[in-house]
PDB file of all heavy atoms in Angstrom:
ATOM      1  N   PRO A 362     -31.038  11.977  -8.902  1.00 84.00           N
ATOM      2  CA  PRO A 362     -31.002  11.776  -7.466  1.00 84.00           C
ATOM      3  C   PRO A 362     -29.620  11.556  -6.914  1.00 84.00           C
ATOM      4  O   PRO A 362     -28.722  11.041  -7.655  1.00 84.00           O
ATOM      5  CB  PRO A 362     -31.889  10.458  -7.247  1.00 84.00           C
ATOM      6  CG  PRO A 362     -31.668   9.718  -8.548  1.00 84.00           C
ATOM      7  CD  PRO A 362     -31.447  10.705  -9.631  1.00 84.00           C
ATOM      8  N   ASN A 363     -29.373  11.986  -5.694  1.00 72.00           N
ATOM      9  CA  ASN A 363     -28.124  11.557  -4.930  1.00 72.00           C
ATOM     10  C   ASN A 363     -28.129  10.064  -4.747  1.00 72.00           C
ATOM     11  O   ASN A 363     -29.125   9.507  -4.312  1.00 72.00           O
ATOM     12  CB  ASN A 363     -28.120  12.316  -3.550  1.00 72.00           C
ATOM     13  CG  ASN A 363     -26.935  11.886  -2.744  1.00 72.00           C
ATOM     14  OD1 ASN A 363     -26.605  10.775  -2.536  1.00 72.00           O
ATOM     15  ND2 ASN A 363     -26.314  12.909  -2.189  1.00 72.00           N
ATOM     16  N   GLN A 364     -27.092   9.384  -5.158  1.00 69.00           N
ATOM     17  CA  GLN A 364     -27.083   7.937  -5.253  1.00 69.00           C
ATOM     18  C   GLN A 364     -27.064   7.312  -3.880  1.00 69.00           C
ATOM     19  O   GLN A 364     -27.319   6.105  -3.724  1.00 69.00           O
ATOM     20  CB  GLN A 364     -25.853   7.486  -5.994  1.00 69.00           C
ATOM     21  CG  GLN A 364     -25.709   8.099  -7.469  1.00 69.00           C
ATOM     22  CD  GLN A 364     -26.607   7.289  -8.379  1.00 69.00           C
ATOM     23  OE1 GLN A 364     -26.680   6.101  -8.449  1.00 69.00           O
ATOM     24  NE2 GLN A 364     -27.369   8.042  -9.150  1.00 69.00           N
ATOM     25  N   ILE A 365     -26.663   8.105  -2.840  1.00 62.00           N
ATOM     26  CA  ILE A 365     -26.500   7.380  -1.506  1.00 62.00           C
ATOM     27  C   ILE A 365     -27.784   7.641  -0.672  1.00 62.00           C
ATOM     28  O   ILE A 365     -28.286   6.730   0.000  1.00 62.00           O
ATOM     29  CB  ILE A 365     -25.301   7.948  -0.805  1.00 62.00           C
ATOM     30  CG1 ILE A 365     -24.013   7.172  -1.369  1.00 62.00           C
ATOM     31  CG2 ILE A 365     -25.292   7.843   0.683  1.00 62.00           C
ATOM     32  CD1 ILE A 365     -22.873   7.172  -0.558  1.00 62.00           C
ATOM     33  N   THR A 366     -28.373   8.855  -0.760  1.00 63.00           N
ATOM     34  CA  THR A 366     -29.599   9.122   0.039  1.00 63.00           C
ATOM     35  C   THR A 366     -30.825   8.611  -0.766  1.00 63.00           C
ATOM     36  O   THR A 366     -31.797   8.256  -0.146  1.00 63.00           O
ATOM     37  CB  THR A 366     -29.742  10.597   0.432  1.00 63.00           C
ATOM     38  OG1 THR A 366     -29.944  11.276  -0.876  1.00 63.00           O
ATOM     39  CG2 THR A 366     -28.596  11.098   1.183  1.00 63.00           C
ATOM     40  N   LYS A 367     -30.739   8.664  -2.069  1.00 67.00           N
ATOM     41  CA  LYS A 367     -31.806   8.417  -2.989  1.00 67.00           C
ATOM     42  C   LYS A 367     -33.053   9.391  -2.867  1.00 67.00           C
ATOM     43  O   LYS A 367     -33.928   9.354  -3.610  1.00 67.00           O
ATOM     44  CB  LYS A 367     -32.395   6.929  -2.824  1.00 67.00           C
ATOM     45  CG  LYS A 367     -31.326   5.875  -2.880  1.00 67.00           C
ATOM     46  CD  LYS A 367     -30.920   5.526  -4.246  1.00 67.00           C
ATOM     47  CE  LYS A 367     -30.161   4.250  -4.260  1.00 67.00           C
ATOM     48  NZ  LYS A 367     -29.307   3.999  -5.336  1.00 67.00           N
ATOM     49  N   SER A 368     -32.881  10.240  -1.824  1.00 65.00           N
ATOM     50  CA  SER A 368     -34.077  11.197  -1.605  1.00 65.00           C
ATOM     51  C   SER A 368     -33.702  12.600  -1.878  1.00 65.00           C
ATOM     52  O   SER A 368     -34.594  13.503  -2.099  1.00 65.00           O
ATOM     53  CB  SER A 368     -34.565  11.034  -0.154  1.00 65.00           C
ATOM     54  OG  SER A 368     -33.489  11.361   0.707  1.00 65.00           O
ATOM     55  N   THR A 369     -32.345  12.910  -1.830  1.00 71.00           N
ATOM     56  CA  THR A 369     -31.921  14.326  -2.181  1.00 71.00           C
ATOM     57  C   THR A 369     -31.463  14.373  -3.621  1.00 71.00           C
ATOM     58  O   THR A 369     -31.248  13.353  -4.244  1.00 71.00           O
ATOM     59  CB  THR A 369     -30.742  14.730  -1.171  1.00 71.00           C
ATOM     60  OG1 THR A 369     -29.665  13.775  -1.334  1.00 71.00           O
ATOM     61  CG2 THR A 369     -31.220  14.737   0.249  1.00 71.00           C
ATOM     62  N   SER A 370     -31.286  15.624  -4.037  1.00 80.00           N
ATOM     63  CA  SER A 370     -30.894  15.859  -5.438  1.00 80.00           C
ATOM     64  C   SER A 370     -29.405  15.752  -5.640  1.00 80.00           C
ATOM     65  O   SER A 370     -28.614  16.005  -4.684  1.00 80.00           O
ATOM     66  CB  SER A 370     -31.402  17.225  -5.854  1.00 80.00           C
ATOM     67  OG  SER A 370     -30.536  17.769  -6.922  1.00 80.00           O
ATOM     68  N   ALA A 371     -28.872  15.431  -6.852  1.00 84.00           N
ATOM     69  CA  ALA A 371     -27.429  15.432  -7.114  1.00 84.00           C
ATOM     70  C   ALA A 371     -26.885  16.844  -7.120  1.00 84.00           C
ATOM     71  O   ALA A 371     -25.737  17.142  -7.137  1.00 84.00           O
ATOM     72  CB  ALA A 371     -27.144  14.799  -8.443  1.00 84.00           C
ATOM     73  N   LEU A 372     -27.849  17.887  -7.088  1.00 85.00           N
ATOM     74  CA  LEU A 372     -27.415  19.274  -7.021  1.00 85.00           C
ATOM     75  C   LEU A 372     -27.032  19.642  -5.579  1.00 85.00           C
ATOM     76  O   LEU A 372     -26.613  20.720  -5.293  1.00 85.00           O
ATOM     77  CB  LEU A 372     -28.552  20.142  -7.609  1.00 85.00           C
ATOM     78  CG  LEU A 372     -28.256  21.604  -7.882  1.00 85.00           C
ATOM     79  CD1 LEU A 372     -27.081  21.730  -8.870  1.00 85.00           C
ATOM     80  CD2 LEU A 372     -29.470  22.249  -8.516  1.00 85.00           C
ATOM     81  N   PHE A 373     -27.255  18.758  -4.628  1.00 82.00           N
ATOM     82  CA  PHE A 373     -27.023  18.965  -3.269  1.00 82.00           C
ATOM     83  C   PHE A 373     -25.579  18.686  -2.939  1.00 82.00           C
ATOM     84  O   PHE A 373     -25.116  17.586  -3.151  1.00 82.00           O
ATOM     85  CB  PHE A 373     -27.917  17.991  -2.457  1.00 82.00           C
ATOM     86  CG  PHE A 373     -27.923  18.175  -0.977  1.00 82.00           C
ATOM     87  CD1 PHE A 373     -28.905  18.945  -0.306  1.00 82.00           C
ATOM     88  CD2 PHE A 373     -27.047  17.441  -0.119  1.00 82.00           C
ATOM     89  CE1 PHE A 373     -28.907  19.018   1.058  1.00 82.00           C
ATOM     90  CE2 PHE A 373     -27.101  17.601   1.215  1.00 82.00           C
ATOM     91  CZ  PHE A 373     -28.055  18.355   1.742  1.00 82.00           C
ATOM     92  N   GLU A 374     -24.789  19.662  -2.522  1.00 86.00           N
ATOM     93  CA  GLU A 374     -23.331  19.449  -2.308  1.00 86.00           C
ATOM     94  C   GLU A 374     -23.086  18.644  -1.101  1.00 86.00           C
ATOM     95  O   GLU A 374     -23.673  18.833  -0.044  1.00 86.00           O
ATOM     96  CB  GLU A 374     -22.673  20.838  -2.177  1.00 86.00           C
ATOM     97  CG  GLU A 374     -22.672  21.625  -3.400  1.00 86.00           C
ATOM     98  CD  GLU A 374     -21.771  22.833  -3.401  1.00 86.00           C
ATOM     99  OE1 GLU A 374     -21.150  23.180  -2.320  1.00 86.00           O
ATOM    100  OE2 GLU A 374     -21.567  23.494  -4.443  1.00 86.00           O
ATOM    101  N   PRO A 375     -22.170  17.723  -1.219  1.00 86.00           N
ATOM    102  CA  PRO A 375     -21.859  16.789  -0.063  1.00 86.00           C
ATOM    103  C   PRO A 375     -21.282  17.580   1.120  1.00 86.00           C
ATOM    104  O   PRO A 375     -20.601  18.661   0.846  1.00 86.00           O
ATOM    105  CB  PRO A 375     -20.756  15.845  -0.622  1.00 86.00           C
ATOM    106  CG  PRO A 375     -20.949  15.850  -2.125  1.00 86.00           C
ATOM    107  CD  PRO A 375     -21.427  17.240  -2.378  1.00 86.00           C
ATOM    108  N   THR A 376     -21.538  17.081   2.274  1.00 84.00           N
ATOM    109  CA  THR A 376     -20.961  17.700   3.519  1.00 84.00           C
ATOM    110  C   THR A 376     -20.277  16.496   4.345  1.00 84.00           C
ATOM    111  O   THR A 376     -20.897  15.544   4.472  1.00 84.00           O
ATOM    112  CB  THR A 376     -22.119  18.294   4.385  1.00 84.00           C
ATOM    113  OG1 THR A 376     -23.013  18.903   3.609  1.00 84.00           O
ATOM    114  CG2 THR A 376     -21.577  19.181   5.436  1.00 84.00           C
ATOM    115  N   LEU A 377     -19.150  16.757   4.794  1.00 88.00           N
ATOM    116  CA  LEU A 377     -18.442  15.723   5.524  1.00 88.00           C
ATOM    117  C   LEU A 377     -18.426  16.000   7.063  1.00 88.00           C
ATOM    118  O   LEU A 377     -18.131  17.085   7.487  1.00 88.00           O
ATOM    119  CB  LEU A 377     -16.947  15.692   5.042  1.00 88.00           C
ATOM    120  CG  LEU A 377     -16.639  15.566   3.519  1.00 88.00           C
ATOM    121  CD1 LEU A 377     -15.262  15.185   3.265  1.00 88.00           C
ATOM    122  CD2 LEU A 377     -17.593  14.498   2.840  1.00 88.00           C
ATOM    123  N   ASP A 378     -18.735  14.972   7.781  1.00 89.00           N
ATOM    124  CA  ASP A 378     -18.623  15.044   9.256  1.00 89.00           C
ATOM    125  C   ASP A 378     -17.520  14.182   9.712  1.00 89.00           C
ATOM    126  O   ASP A 378     -17.562  13.567  10.834  1.00 89.00           O
ATOM    127  CB  ASP A 378     -19.933  14.762   9.960  1.00 89.00           C
ATOM    128  CG  ASP A 378     -20.544  13.432   9.546  1.00 89.00           C
ATOM    129  OD1 ASP A 378     -19.978  12.676   8.769  1.00 89.00           O
ATOM    130  OD2 ASP A 378     -21.566  13.019  10.117  1.00 89.00           O
ATOM    131  N   TYR A 379     -16.535  14.006   8.862  1.00 94.00           N
ATOM    132  CA  TYR A 379     -15.416  13.169   9.148  1.00 94.00           C
ATOM    133  C   TYR A 379     -14.180  13.721   8.307  1.00 94.00           C
ATOM    134  O   TYR A 379     -14.415  14.657   7.486  1.00 94.00           O
ATOM    135  CB  TYR A 379     -15.624  11.679   8.756  1.00 94.00           C
ATOM    136  CG  TYR A 379     -16.216  11.564   7.406  1.00 94.00           C
ATOM    137  CD1 TYR A 379     -15.367  11.486   6.244  1.00 94.00           C
ATOM    138  CD2 TYR A 379     -17.620  11.413   7.229  1.00 94.00           C
ATOM    139  CE1 TYR A 379     -15.922  11.432   5.017  1.00 94.00           C
ATOM    140  CE2 TYR A 379     -18.202  11.314   5.936  1.00 94.00           C
ATOM    141  CZ  TYR A 379     -17.319  11.323   4.855  1.00 94.00           C
ATOM    142  OH  TYR A 379     -17.879  11.216   3.580  1.00 94.00           O
ATOM    143  N   VAL A 380     -13.000  13.162   8.425  1.00 96.00           N
ATOM    144  CA  VAL A 380     -11.792  13.654   7.727  1.00 96.00           C
ATOM    145  C   VAL A 380     -11.284  12.495   6.923  1.00 96.00           C
ATOM    146  O   VAL A 380     -11.237  11.365   7.463  1.00 96.00           O
ATOM    147  CB  VAL A 380     -10.768  14.208   8.706  1.00 96.00           C
ATOM    148  CG1 VAL A 380      -9.545  14.658   7.927  1.00 96.00           C
ATOM    149  CG2 VAL A 380     -11.354  15.291   9.575  1.00 96.00           C
ATOM    150  N   ILE A 381     -10.793  12.786   5.705  1.00 96.00           N
ATOM    151  CA  ILE A 381     -10.100  11.723   5.019  1.00 96.00           C
ATOM    152  C   ILE A 381      -8.697  12.133   4.651  1.00 96.00           C
ATOM    153  O   ILE A 381      -8.400  13.339   4.481  1.00 96.00           O
ATOM    154  CB  ILE A 381     -10.841  11.254   3.732  1.00 96.00           C
ATOM    155  CG1 ILE A 381     -10.680  12.272   2.625  1.00 96.00           C
ATOM    156  CG2 ILE A 381     -12.319  10.898   3.924  1.00 96.00           C
ATOM    157  CD1 ILE A 381      -9.840  11.751   1.509  1.00 96.00           C
TER     158      ILE A 381
END
Side-chain angles (χ1 to χ4, degrees):
N363 175 312
Q364 303 281 312
I365 280 200
T366 61
K367 308 280 194 204
S368 59
T369 58
S370 151
L372 194 53
F373 187 93
E374 290 191 354
T376 318
L377 308 191
D378 55 358
Y379 48 82
V380 179
I381 75 111

